[in-house]
Amino acid sequence: MAGYSAYQLDPGPLEPSVLTQQHTHRSRDIWDGSINMILNTRRCDGKLWDLVKKYPIHPRVLEVIELSGLYGVYRSNRPIIDCSLITSLVERWRPETHTFHFRTGEATITLQDVEVLYGLPVNGDPVLGDESIRTIGDWQNICQRLLGFIPRPEDFNRSSLKVTALNAHMLEQLQLPDLATQDIINQMARCYMFWMIAGMMMADTSGNYLKLMYLPMLEDLNVVSSYSWGSATLACLYRFLCKASQSNQNEIAGFLPLLQVYLITISIIYKYFFYFIIS
């Protein structure tokens, strides 16, 4: 009995030379019983889908979005994010290998998954963003030229723009006349695309700001589809998965719909795979 009481389970890993960050991983806290927290999922695309649902996008604007390579994100509409499901996935994520460690083995989201599930281009020029140091006046001029409105100085937080400012502008431009100039159409298309990119595909943890670093990449609409948006989206998601897997984190951002759809997809594949084996 004395030997039995002295026995302790080893949570692993069995080989610490690969999983070197176990001492700061969320799974360690769960094993120690010191964590019972669901991650906060940070997104700022809710008002976008409310807007689209109430006021469908003008056909001419939609044509521009279709040619941009981002149409698959628009078609996905507003997914309901299961915070508990996302948290359980993060607990299985290992930043050392960029894979999920399931009981059946390792798995991860690939560029092919991004391309197939959302139609985002994974080949082409890299999405670097423009992190040049700019004044509020500079960003106001860029917003006026590309989005068609001038945000107030208080709508900026360094190089980020309040979602409410963009939303207010789009509400004023919903009823586009059929004879609207192509410049107006392009500006409205940029508003939708910028919101999808900065508020959904590469959302950060601010929750109510959109990073303006992606906006200059939408200036020439003829080359928007030449960027590898899928690669940038996946890299951003990997980064937030790695960050959220640490024990001191309580939130996660990035393209969370991709993470959720991925799990549903592989669950269906496994289900039919084992069904055919049994039958």
Side-chain angles (χ1 to χ4, degrees):
M1 181 64 67
Y4 175 78
S5 61
Y7 179 77
Q8 292 184 347
L9 291 175
D10 182 8
L14 297 178
E15 178 51 62
S17 63
V18 177
L19 304 182
T20 59
Q21 301 182 31
Q22 179 62 25
H23 62 288
T24 60
H25 197 270
R26 286 179 65 89
S27 61
R28 169 63 68 175
D29 293 334
I30 294 171
W31 179 264
D32 294 337
S34 59
I35 185 171
N36 184 23
M37 180 182 63
I38 303 299
L39 288 170
N40 295 318
T41 54
R42 296 290 188 177
R43 301 161 58 198
C44 51
D45 62 322
K47 291 184 180 295
L48 169 64
W49 301 118
D50 293 340
L51 195 68
V52 170
K53 182 179 180 180
K54 190 173 182 179
Y55 306 100
I57 300 178
H58 192 281
R60 290 178 61 191
V61 175
L62 199 57
E63 287 179 5
V64 179
I65 297 176
E66 289 177 353
L67 296 176
S68 70
L70 307 177
Y71 184 65
V73 178
Y74 161 74
R75 285 193 60 189
S76 69
N77 211 309
R78 181 181 185 175
I80 299 175
I81 298 298
D82 188 331
C83 297
S84 298
L85 176 61
I86 297 297
T87 302
S88 64
L89 281 172
V90 172
E91 291 166 359
R92 294 282 183 173
W93 178 263
R94 299 303 311 203
E96 302 93 340
T97 58
H98 286 172
T99 56
F100 298 104
H101 285 211
F102 298 123
R103 295 185 63 182
T104 55
E106 293 183 55
T108 194
I109 307 174
T110 65
L111 289 175
Q112 185 179 24
D113 295 322
V114 180
E115 185 178 30
V116 171
L117 294 175
Y118 283 92
L120 292 173
V122 297
N123 297 310
D125 298 327
V127 177
L128 301 177
D130 189 344
E131 294 187 291
S132 303
I133 299 177
R134 288 189 168 96
T135 65
I136 290 179
D138 293 334
W139 283 121
Q140 285 179 317
N141 292 333
I142 293 174
C143 288
Q144 181 183 23
R145 188 175 73 254
L146 300 184
L147 303 180
F149 79 111
I150 304 176
R152 300 170 303 173
E154 56 265 32
D155 291 330
F156 293 93
N157 181 14
R158 296 183 180 179
S159 59
S160 297
L161 177 67
K162 278 186 179 179
V163 174
T164 52
L166 181 61
N167 184 58
H169 164 66
M170 295 175 70
L171 284 172
E172 295 175 355
Q173 303 293 324
L174 289 173
Q175 303 300 325
L176 291 176
D178 293 334
L179 297 179
T181 65
Q182 192 59 42
D183 286 341
I184 295 178
I185 296 297
N186 291 344
Q187 287 173 343
M188 183 55 65
R190 289 192 191 96
C191 289
Y192 285 107
M193 291 188 290
F194 173 58
W195 202 341
M196 286 191 293
I197 293 169
M200 189 175 181
M201 295 161 52
M202 286 172 271
D204 59 17
T205 54
S206 68
N208 57 357
Y209 281 92
L210 303 171
K211 282 190 174 181
L212 289 163
M213 60 184 291
Y214 307 112
L215 182 56
M217 302 184 68
L218 303 178
E219 181 163 7
D220 187 352
L221 293 177
N222 294 320
V223 301
V224 172
S225 61
S226 67
Y227 291 112
S228 182
W229 295 107
S231 302
T233 300
L234 185 59
C236 182
L237 180 60
Y238 272 27
R239 175 176 175 270
F240 280 111
L241 280 169
C242 292
K243 187 175 181 180
S245 67
Q246 301 304 299
S247 60
N248 61 343
Q249 298 297 313
N250 61 0
E251 59 186 6
I252 184 173
F255 197 15
L256 299 179
L258 170 62
L259 185 59
Q260 190 163 285
V261 171
Y262 165 78
L263 180 62
I264 295 173
T265 302
I266 63 172
S267 298
I268 294 173
I269 292 174
Y270 274 119
K271 176 182 177 181
Y272 281 99
F273 175 74
F274 287 114
Y275 171 80
F276 284 118
I277 290 180
I278 295 173
S279 60

